[in-house]
Amino acid sequence: MTKPIILHIGEPIKYNHEFYEKDFLSRFDVIQNEDLDREAFKNALRSNKYGNISAVFRPHFQTGGEMGQWDDELISLLPSSVRIFASAGAGFNWADVDALGKRKIWYANGAGASDEAVSDTGLYMILSVFRNFTRAQLAARTADPEVFNEAHKSIAMISQNPKDHTLGIVGLGSISKKLAYKARMALGMDIHYYDVVQASKEEERSLGATFHASLDSLLKVADCVSLHTPLNKYTKDLIDARALSIMKPGSRIINTARGPVLNEDALVHALESGHISAAGLDVHYYEPQVSKKLAQMPQVTLTTHIAGGALNTRINFELNAMKNILRVVGPEGEFTREEPLTPVNAEAFHGG
């Protein structure tokens, strides 16, 4: 019996070799993509070079993007045999998951694998924007005693403990639920959130979280806003000049979601005016280009999109991508009766 074909895009397996050999290769024929630019890849799909593939497999989100945006142009060229696109990484702005859903192709991401790492980074950002740790670090790194002493004296006058302040979470997903728990239990913060879907009363009680039916309502009460929404046409520039103006004078904002959710030009103006006192950004609007204006501001903590950047995350991204395919693709390439562990476009399969 011919095994279902899996098209592997990006670098080879790095971590879960035993699972790959015993569980994955025993079920599937895995073919590595050889067409490393968009036009070559499109031609390969048109000619059915890789056969009637049952899945697209991208185990490392930092590679496998050589064909560019997975838009309707590419997706329309996939054979009808494709059941699932299983990718590492929590974000999916580089793939049109709705177009995949219309073709009845599951899109499964790496949700869950990075929850601990990203929520830990969020906690670090909260501490940094309340306590001005970046300003202190910059001063210390000058190795200048005069600068050291000035920072030692002045930072205490502009810093506060997070305890009893309100953390406003935009988008209550698996990562931000962990952040809410950590911020409440470790830092003593009050948790408020906005999401298009309200969590259950039981979950709100367990997190000590207060729901807001509108984004504006949340922004008006938060001392620190933390962004956790996916990037799409609705959330690009979600936090713009108007939204920032609604926030409390002297409040803070952190972004570990996607750069374009927060308009950086508006943020620069709000920081320069003092309306926003501090910001923490792991992701950037024009990534990998960091705003040169923000980079010069000592009240801004900047990192290089490493919120999920822990080895544990990479291992689980790779493993979960394989598990998602195993759940969906049957022995003859047919759909099984199971759903992926981490589906993104489930509504396409449930009449939503």
Side-chain angles (χ1 to χ4, degrees):
M1 182 185 298
T2 303
K3 293 187 288 187
I5 300 169
I6 308 300
L7 179 62
H8 182 145
I9 60 176
E11 292 181 354
I13 290 293
K14 296 180 181 180
Y15 308 111
N16 300 279
H17 294 285
E18 183 176 354
F19 186 92
Y20 181 69
E21 295 288 338
K22 292 184 178 179
D23 295 85
F24 204 66
L25 290 184
S26 64
R27 284 272 305 275
F28 306 121
D29 284 329
V30 179
I31 299 176
Q32 183 72 40
N33 173 45
E34 301 173 337
D35 300 284
L36 302 181
D37 65 72
R38 187 174 179 88
E39 287 306 312
F41 188 71
K42 285 163 55 179
N43 289 334
L45 293 178
R46 288 191 187 103
S47 66
N48 202 31
K49 175 179 177 178
Y50 297 110
N52 292 323
I53 60 177
S54 296
V56 180
F57 174 48
R58 187 186 186 189
H60 311 296
F61 72 93
Q62 291 176 322
T63 69
E66 55 272 353
M67 65 289 298
Q69 189 76 15
W70 279 81
D71 51 18
D72 196 56
E73 180 186 39
L74 273 190
I75 292 166
S76 65
L77 298 175
L78 290 171
S80 60
S81 54
V82 177
R83 307 302 182 204
I84 183 172
F85 192 130
S87 178
F92 48 88
N93 50 292
W94 56 278
D96 189 335
V97 298
D98 293 328
L100 287 165
K102 288 177 183 176
R103 293 279 307 275
K104 295 302 179 185
I105 299 171
W106 288 102
Y107 183 88
N109 67 353
S114 62
D115 290 1
E116 289 295 345
V118 179
S119 59
D120 285 348
T121 302
L123 200 66
Y124 160 75
M125 290 287 189
I126 292 169
L127 284 165
S128 187
V129 297
F130 273 93
R131 295 289 309 281
N132 284 280
F133 286 157
T134 293
R135 188 188 297 269
Q137 186 181 74
L138 290 170
R141 286 183 180 276
T142 66
D144 183 327
E146 187 174 336
V147 174
F148 183 102
N149 284 331
E150 191 281 327
H152 173 70
K153 294 174 182 177
S154 65
I155 286 177
M157 304 299 293
I158 59 173
S159 299
Q160 297 184 35
N161 292 326
K163 182 176 172 59
D164 297 328
H165 285 84
T166 297
L167 176 65
I169 290 174
V170 180
L172 192 67
S174 57
I175 291 170
S176 53
K177 287 174 186 175
K178 282 188 175 291
L179 176 62
Y181 176 81
K182 292 172 182 179
R184 185 169 71 91
M185 300 303 292
L187 302 181
M189 300 189 77
D190 296 324
I191 308 301
H192 289 237
Y193 78 98
Y194 162 72
D195 199 298
V196 293
V197 178
Q198 185 174 359
S200 68
K201 295 299 181 184
E202 181 181 355
E203 195 156 42
E204 287 181 347
R205 281 194 298 271
S206 70
L207 294 173
T210 300
F211 174 68
H212 289 257
S214 72
L215 176 61
D216 285 5
S217 172
L218 178 74
L219 296 178
K220 290 175 182 178
V221 303
D223 297 299
C224 180
V225 170
S226 184
L227 303 177
H228 298 273
T229 65
L231 176 63
N232 55 44
K233 61 183 179 181
Y234 304 108
T235 61
K236 185 176 181 183
D237 294 313
L238 178 69
I239 307 300
D240 56 10
R242 190 199 69 85
L244 290 167
S245 71
I246 292 171
M247 292 173 62
K248 295 165 69 173
S251 57
R252 307 146 187 88
I253 189 165
I254 64 177
N255 187 9
T256 58
R258 285 294 182 269
V261 172
L262 172 59
N263 186 294
E264 288 184 354
D265 289 336
L267 176 62
V268 168
H269 290 306
L271 287 162
E272 287 176 337
S273 72
H275 180 71
I276 300 298
S277 66
L281 308 179
D282 180 57
V283 289
H284 307 273
Y285 204 97
Y286 298 106
E287 194 171 307
Q289 179 63 58
V290 173
S291 163
K292 293 182 179 179
K293 289 185 177 179
L294 290 173
Q296 297 301 312
M297 295 181 171
Q299 72 271 44
V300 179
T301 296
L302 300 171
T303 49
T304 55
H305 199 153
I306 48 77
L311 181 58
N312 317 70
T313 301
R314 299 297 189 267
I315 292 170
N316 288 324
F317 274 159
E318 182 185 88
L319 181 62
N320 288 351
M322 288 187 279
K323 287 182 176 179
N324 276 321
I325 293 173
L326 284 163
R327 284 179 65 89
V328 170
V329 180
E332 296 182 26
E334 79 282 9
F335 275 120
T336 68
R337 294 185 178 182
E338 293 188 292
E339 297 188 359
L341 295 167
T342 54
V344 171
N345 57 352
E347 68 279 357
F349 294 81
H350 301 304

